Amino acid sequence: MTHDRAGHERARRRRRRGVTLLLVGALVSGAAACAGGNGSDGQGAHRITIGLVTKTEANPFFVALRHAATAAAHRNDARLIALAGKFDGDNEGQVNAMESLIARGVNGILITPSNTTGILGAIREARRQGILVIALDTATQPENAVDATYATDNFKAGRLQGAYVRAVLAGRAPKVFMLDGTPGSEVSQDRHDGFLDGFGLKDGSPAIVGQANANGDRNTAQAATENLLLRTSDVNTIYTINEPVAAGAYEALMDRGLTRQVTIGSIDGSCDGVRDVKAGTLAATVMQFPVRMATDGVDAVIAFARSGKRPSGFTDTGTVLITDRQVRGVPSQSTAWGLKHCWG
């Protein structure tokens, strides 16, 4: 009886070992299949893989950028891995995303840096490992920390907005709210400086009757504008860093019945933003071209992976002022034109 029981126990152990080996074999096969998805076509052929790291995931500008990059990668039979920070200014999140892409062995990384200096260590490591790094939308500091940059000339975009809204005042004394982006952001600073240059003001001017950081966010902008209006409602111009901020500012003005006395300018050029210009919510917006940024960036990584050709320098992807109320001396296009070309 003891002998039979011992034999049965040995048989059970053999069966368990067999099941364990089958499970390990399945896991190894699954891991190999996953590895093929990351860098091959499943039959051993290398597939070009491109990483995209945006400032946030939900901002419409970065949604358009991601969709365009995905489409461009698909046209080239490449794979795109899209990651993002949790909020505008989330440098740690972008560093983590870069590290993840480096570990996956991508051929190139396209990044819209939230912190133009804080991301430099991760960029250096990627380039050290032979990965092409391209900045989109926002240049790093220094600019040559990446291989190339495809972006809006943000100083020029701000200058167009400033020149336009100053002309709309038609000689009236300016009383301006400045709704900036994220502190330390190169884009925020360039647009701010460009607006003042185009408007003909300097920081600290008494014509600037209120200023706040809105972090590119509609709700933050609405709250910030409400707070500024508690100090003074004697305002006739609002600079906004982007269209979500402009929408928040307009809501605050509407709640106070002040929309008719204030001219709002902005920068982005989304289809929704162009419709806001057509409806009169915005006086004008400066259109950017994120589809062009993303497509040029993906094409550059494809060329690098296939031939070793490395892009360099800054490529201005364009700016166009959109308004239906043209003013002398400030070139612009109508909202009809804008709706045909928004973000293209």
Side-chain angles (χ1 to χ4, degrees):
M1 190 74 169
T2 303
H3 176 75
D4 288 345
R5 195 176 289 125
H8 286 314
E9 182 60 31
R10 284 195 297 273
R12 271 197 299 272
R13 282 198 297 268
R14 283 195 297 272
R15 285 196 297 272
R16 286 173 185 160
R17 282 198 298 272
V19 171
T20 301
L21 288 171
L22 285 171
L23 286 171
V24 171
L27 288 170
V28 170
S29 297
C34 288
N38 283 337
S40 73
D41 60 8
Q43 298 176 355
H46 179 72
R47 188 179 186 194
I48 297 171
T49 306
I50 303 165
L52 172 67
V53 182
T54 52
K55 295 178 184 179
T56 66
E57 188 174 46
N59 183 296
F61 182 89
F62 299 120
V63 171
L65 198 75
R66 184 170 67 248
H67 287 171
T70 301
H74 180 74
R75 286 195 298 272
N76 287 282
D77 194 30
R79 180 170 184 245
L80 184 86
I81 303 171
L83 304 173
K86 293 180 181 178
F87 53 87
D88 196 338
D90 180 17
N91 182 66
E92 183 180 357
Q94 288 201 314
V95 169
N96 292 338
M98 288 280 292
E99 290 172 347
S100 173
L101 293 170
I102 292 167
R104 296 188 198 196
V106 298
N107 298 93
I109 297 174
L110 312 175
I111 181 164
T112 64
S114 278
N115 186 314
T116 55
T117 57
I119 198 68
L120 296 185
I123 290 173
R124 277 194 298 269
E125 180 58 24
R127 296 181 75 187
R128 188 186 71 80
Q129 295 198 30
I131 298 169
L132 185 76
V133 182
I134 294 174
L136 301 182
D137 177 58
T138 305
T140 54
Q141 292 183 296
E143 194 175 289
N144 64 4
V146 293
D147 290 282
T149 302
Y150 298 98
T152 301
D153 182 334
N154 285 296
F155 183 89
K156 180 180 178 182
R159 194 177 191 285
L160 279 169
Q161 184 188 158
Y164 179 81
V165 296
R166 182 61 188 257
V168 168
L169 285 176
R172 287 177 292 146
K175 298 167 185 179
V176 184
F177 282 174
M178 299 285 294
L179 295 181
D180 291 306
T182 304
S185 163
E186 183 76 5
V187 169
S188 181
Q189 192 63 53
D190 283 350
R191 292 183 184 181
H192 173 102
D193 292 346
F195 176 86
L196 293 180
D197 184 71
F199 199 97
L201 291 176
K202 294 187 181 299
D203 276 317
S205 167
I208 301 173
V209 295
Q211 188 168 349
N213 293 312
N215 299 330
D217 178 71
R218 177 176 180 150
N219 293 333
T220 305
Q222 182 174 348
T225 307
E226 288 168 352
N227 288 334
L228 292 176
L229 289 171
L230 290 175
R231 301 174 198 170
T232 179
S233 59
D234 190 14
V235 56
N236 56 25
T237 305
I238 298 184
Y239 157 79
T240 65
I241 187 173
N242 65 9
E243 288 166 359
V245 168
Y250 185 82
E251 287 292 327
L253 291 172
M254 190 165 60
D255 289 344
R256 296 284 296 272
L258 298 173
T259 56
R260 290 182 179 276
Q261 77 178 46
V262 180
T263 298
I264 304 177
S266 198
I267 300 170
D268 263 345
S270 69
C271 291
D272 284 343
V274 174
R275 291 186 191 101
D276 284 342
V277 173
K278 187 174 182 178
T281 301
L282 296 177
T285 189
V286 181
M287 183 175 288
Q288 305 181 88
F289 298 93
V291 172
R292 192 177 301 170
M293 295 177 200
T295 302
D296 287 353
V298 168
D299 288 347
V301 175
I302 298 293
F304 171 74
R306 290 177 177 168
S307 68
K309 181 182 177 182
R310 188 181 294 271
S312 63
F314 181 94
T315 298
D316 179 3
T317 50
T319 47
V320 176
L321 182 79
I322 305 297
T323 184
D324 285 331
R325 183 183 173 186
Q326 296 181 335
V327 297
R328 182 176 296 179
V330 185
S332 64
Q333 293 284 355
S334 69
T335 57
W337 185 96
L339 289 171
K340 290 179 181 177
H341 297 88
C342 43
W343 279 353

